[in-house]
Amino acid sequence: DAMVIQNPRYQVTQFGKPVTLSCSQTLNHNVMYWYQQKSSQAPKLLFHYYDKDFNNEADTPDNFQSRRPNTSFCFLDIRSPGLGDAAMYLCATSEVDSGQETQYFGPGTRLLVL
Amino acid sequence: GQNIDQPTEMTATEGAIVQINCTYQTSGFNGLFWYQQHAGEAPTFLSYNVLDGLEEKGRFSSFLSRSKGYSYLLLKELQMKDSASYLCAVRLINDYKLSFGAGTTVTVRA
C-alpha cells in the first residue's frame, strides 16, 4: 500500500544533542511537510518542500532544519533540542495541482528531550 | 493568519449522534478539511468541502456554509472506536498549505 512512513516512532535525545527524524513516502507526491504537534494543540507547520524548493514558515526557529535528497525522503534536523521541542513530529505529503490536494500523514515521531 | 475555532471536548453515548462545529475567519477561503486523529497517531482524512451544503459518507457527514464561515462534522451511530480528536483545517485560494484548528476530543461512552 502507498503510504507515508516515519522513523523512528519514538525518539529520546538529550538536551542540546542533535537529532534527525526521517520520513519517506511511496505516494510519489511533489510536496512534503513537517509539522510539530504538542498535546491538545493544532499541528503547526514548520516547513515544506515543493519538489526541491524549500519553504520555511516565518516563525520556525533556526534550530530546525530540513533536507529532501530525493522525491521519496525528507529529514527533519533539530540542531540543539531544548525541553520545549518535545512534541509529536508529523510528516505529510500532497500532490499539488491535483485538484483536491489532500494531505496524507505519517504515523509521527514522538520526541522526548531529557 | 486564520482564526479557526472548535470546541475542546465533547462526550456522547454509543449509538448517539454528535455534531462538531468549526468556525473560521479568513480571506480567500478555498475549502475545508476534516481529519480524525486517534491518540498518539497521525491524522487521517475524513472529508473535504468546497461548496456549500452537506456531503455524506456513511456514518460521517460534513457541512459547509461559506457565507457564515462555518462547518460541522456529524457523526452518527457512534461507536467506541470513534473516540478521537477531530481536526478541521482550512485551505486558502492559491495556496496548498493547511491551517488547522486545535481539534475537538470526542469521547464515546457505553
Side-chain angles (χ1 to χ4, degrees):
Chain A
D1 288 341
M3 58 177 58
V4 182
I5 302 160
Q6 290 188 244
N7 286 303
R9 295 293 308 274
Y10 299 90
Q11 176 74 57
V12 181
T13 191
Q14 292 178 334
F15 183 93
K17 184 174 181 182
V19 66
T20 295
L21 310 182
S22 70
C23 176
S24 63
Q25 54 139 341
T26 60
L27 298 160
N28 204 35
H29 284 169
N30 52 11
V31 184
M32 296 186 77
Y33 309 81
W34 278 105
Y35 290 88
Q36 179 193 65
Q37 187 181 28
K38 297 187 177 181
S39 181
S40 300
Q41 295 184 21
K44 178 182 180 298
L45 183 64
L46 295 174
F47 27 57
H48 71 278
Y49 273 93
Y50 187 144
D51 290 327
K52 295 182 180 179
D53 294 332
F54 177 72
N55 297 271
N56 200 29
E57 293 300 299
D59 57 354
T60 298
D62 292 340
N63 197 26
F64 292 87
Q65 306 280 314
S66 186
R67 297 170 282 134
R68 189 180 186 187
N70 53 52
T71 300
S72 301
F73 285 87
C74 196
F75 299 97
L76 170 62
D77 301 307
I78 308 177
R79 293 193 295 185
S80 182
L83 298 179
D85 296 328
M88 174 77 91
Y89 289 88
L90 296 166
C91 174
T93 73
S94 69
E95 182 65 19
V96 170
D97 300 324
S98 65
Q100 181 170 312
E101 298 167 9
T102 300
Q103 290 190 19
Y104 295 92
F105 285 83
T109 295
R110 185 166 293 282
L111 179 68
L112 180 63
V113 181
L114 300 178
Chain B
Q2 296 80 46
N3 290 328
I4 302 170
D5 291 313
Q6 334 178 207
T8 304
E9 295 180 341
M10 302 183 75
T11 302
T13 306
E14 198 173 13
I17 298 172
V18 70
Q19 177 175 313
I20 307 167
N21 296 325
C22 174
T23 59
Y24 59 89
Q25 293 176 318
T26 187
S27 57
F29 174 85
N30 191 10
L32 187 143
F33 289 84
W34 283 98
Y35 282 83
Q36 180 192 59
Q37 187 177 25
H38 285 100
E41 298 183 13
T44 55
F45 169 75
L46 290 177
S47 66
Y48 180 51
N49 292 68
V50 177
L51 302 176
D52 286 355
L54 184 69
E55 296 208 3
E56 299 186 71
K57 279 186 184 180
R59 295 189 298 114
F60 291 6
S61 303
S62 57
F63 172 83
L64 177 67
S65 169
R66 296 174 68 106
S67 61
K68 295 182 180 178
Y70 168 67
S71 173
Y72 68 72
L73 180 69
L74 193 69
L75 314 181
K76 294 182 281 190
E77 300 170 19
L78 279 172
Q79 302 175 10
M80 300 299 287
K81 67 178 182 179
D82 297 330
S83 293
S85 180
Y86 292 85
L87 302 162
C88 69
V90 167
R91 181 172 164 240
L92 301 182
I93 293 173
N94 297 325
D95 194 356
Y96 46 85
K97 296 185 294 184
L98 298 180
S99 293
F100 283 87
T104 300
T105 300
V106 172
T107 302
V108 181
R109 294 183 173 165

